[in-house]
Amino acid sequence: MTGNEYLMKNYAPMAVCFEKGDGAVLWDTNGKQYLDALSGIAVTSLGHNHPAVTRAISSQAGQLLHTSNLYSIGRQQQLSELLCKKAAMDKVFFANSGAEANEAAIKLARLYGHNQQIENPQIIVMEQSFHGRTLATLSATGNRKVQAGFEPLVQGFIRAPYNDIEAIRNIAKNNSNVVAILLEPVQGEGGVRIPDSDYLNQIREICDSNGWLMMLDEIQTGIGRTGKWFAYQHSAIKPDVITSAKALGNGVPIGACLARGQAAELFHPGHHGSTFGGNPLACAAAIAVIESIDNEALLARCTALSELLLTQFKAELEMLPGVKDIRAAGLLMGIELSEDCGELVAQALHNGLLINVTAGNVIRLLPPFVMTDEQAMQLVAETSRLIKAFLSQKQTA
Ligand SMILES: *Cc1c(COP(=O)(O)O)cnc(C)c1O
């Protein structure tokens, strides 16, 4: 492979280079086959080369790619209605990535505050959260590694421990400048952390009694990943703002900031924008994604596959000392070990399997919804084998 010397060293990619994909399978440039249990980090939930998405992109490319938001965009209007209905939100702003969707949410919250004469609006954010790499979103992120070297950080964020309602109540008591709370319904990068079942309900109550916007970062959890369109839909509440990206375009870059009620009416011409956001190509892809999830009953498939994987993984691994927890919110799955296990990623890749390790010691699996039962069993067998070998080698070391 040539060309690496011209790329900035943002990443430390593994040497493998994929050339082709189909469903949950990838092939590299040497023709070696892999099983994909990462989905490009929760992006290609419909698998690679999904026929309806490929068709929609090809057909749109042959018609019109881009005109700008200076004109009405038919595909964008079509997608806005579809997406708002799935999210139970009133209005949407389209961006090109997750970080940009969160930037829009952060700007909404500040505008919401300024409209109430709060000159120094504050947003509550969580420890171990991840919201992106732009200046505002890395400032909102609860991970020093993401922030270090990029100070001064953007102000206006107050940090709280995740899944701790008392901490939020204390902030409410002591700070009258809070205008919103921004959190992930399940923390993905933070280690597949699933909060208590009434956590979102209680956050909603606090937001209501204090007049705060409840803003959910559903960039990783949305578009079916947890078995519902959005993870918040497992609870009875509705947030005021939701951000989406990752799986929304199944690989075509698109992000969205959705809002409801008062929050949906805050932006006016001149407040915020994007040259590319919501262009016909990206919207055509996202429309095909949403329609395919419906047409192929992929939410139900996600739930069934999650149950199969969870049962099988528990049967293989639950009793092992060194395996702390096995948990899943749909097909956002975490196997937590008692020690750091980053080396498993390269070992798996060598054996033809794409997995991820996050927060040091949590094996994160994000398989596509179209993975077959047979492929799922292969995933369980291979991952369990690697974990067992890893643990026994640690014990004898
Ligand atoms: C991936 C992710 C982001 C950032 O999305 P980008 O498209 O990389 O900017 C933000 N929030 C969460 C929860 C994510 O998982």
Side-chain angles (χ1 to χ4, degrees), residues 133-188:
R133 298 285 194 156
T134 61
L135 278 174
T137 59
L138 76 82
S139 300
T141 290
N143 181 345
R144 274 305 296 161
K145 281 190 201 146
V146 173
Q147 298 173 336
F150 302 106
E151 298 84 358
L153 300 181
V154 173
Q155 298 186 352
F157 297 104
I158 300 176
R159 185 91 38 211
Y162 191 62
N163 197 23
D164 181 345
I165 282 294
E166 259 336 286
I168 309 291
R169 290 210 177 96
N170 276 330
I171 295 171
K173 251 182 262 160
N174 299 314
N175 196 315
S176 56
N177 286 328
V178 175
V179 294
I181 182 163
L182 171 65
L183 74 156
E184 298 152 89
V186 176
Q187 290 188 327

Side-chain angles (χ1 to χ4, degrees), residues 12-26:
M14 288 174 272
V16 60
C17 181
F18 299 110
E19 192 167 61
K20 198 168 102 86
D22 190 60
V25 175
L26 283 164

Side-chain angles (χ1 to χ4, degrees), residues 266-281:
L266 289 166
F267 279 150
H268 291 290
H271 275 141
H272 193 48
S274 165
T275 297
F276 292 132
N279 88 8
L281 184 74

Side-chain angles (χ1 to χ4, degrees), residues 158-377:
I158 300 176
R159 185 91 38 211
Y162 191 62
N163 197 23
D164 181 345
I165 282 294
E166 259 336 286
I168 309 291
R169 290 210 177 96
N170 276 330
I171 295 171
K173 251 182 262 160
N174 299 314
N175 196 315
S176 56
N177 286 328
V178 175
V179 294
I181 182 163
L182 171 65
L183 74 156
E184 298 152 89
V186 176
Q187 290 188 327
E189 303 303 308
V192 191
R193 290 156 62 97
I194 304 172
D196 298 340
S197 59
D198 67 337
Y199 184 55
L200 292 186
N201 296 326
Q202 292 188 291
I203 296 263
R204 179 72 268 176
E205 261 178 48
I206 298 175
C207 287
D208 285 340
S209 55
N210 291 282
W212 302 346
L213 296 180
M214 177 174 175
M215 310 201 296
L216 291 184
D217 179 340
E218 292 243 23
I219 289 163
Q220 188 157 153
T221 52
I223 316 298
R225 179 51 60 182
T226 72
K228 303 263 188 193
W229 279 102
F230 290 90
Y232 88 82
Q233 291 164 336
H234 292 281
S235 73
I237 57 100
K238 273 190 197 176
D240 300 295
V241 176
I242 299 173
T243 53
S244 178
K246 290 209 162 93
L248 180 54
N250 205 56
V252 176
I254 181 168
C257 173
L258 298 118
R260 179 175 73 85
Q262 215 184 329
E265 310 298 332
L266 289 166
F267 279 150
H268 291 290
H271 275 141
H272 193 48
S274 165
T275 297
F276 292 132
N279 88 8
L281 184 74
C283 291
I287 291 166
V289 166
I290 293 173
E291 289 178 346
S292 299
I293 290 175
D294 274 338
N295 293 340
E296 296 164 32
L298 289 179
L299 296 185
R301 177 62 193 154
C302 172
T303 304
L305 194 55
S306 170
E307 280 163 11
L308 173 69
L309 285 167
L310 202 56
T311 311
Q312 296 297 322
F313 270 122
K314 284 190 168 167
E316 286 281 344
L317 299 172
E318 202 168 37
M319 304 315 284
L320 296 182
V323 175
K324 278 178 77 178
D325 191 30
I326 305 172
R327 53 185 177 263
L331 289 177
L332 170 51
M333 312 191 66
I335 302 170
E336 183 173 347
L337 304 189
S338 47
E339 46 191 321
D340 284 4
C341 56
E343 63 206 73
L344 287 175
V345 172
Q347 292 171 9
L349 190 72
H350 180 78
N351 294 333
L353 175 64
L354 277 68
I355 62 169
N356 177 254
V357 169
T358 190
N361 64 333
V362 180
I363 298 148
R364 179 175 49 165
L365 302 174
L366 294 157
F369 311 163
V370 298
M371 180 176 273
T372 64
D373 284 2
E374 195 188 349
Q375 288 167 333
M377 296 313 290

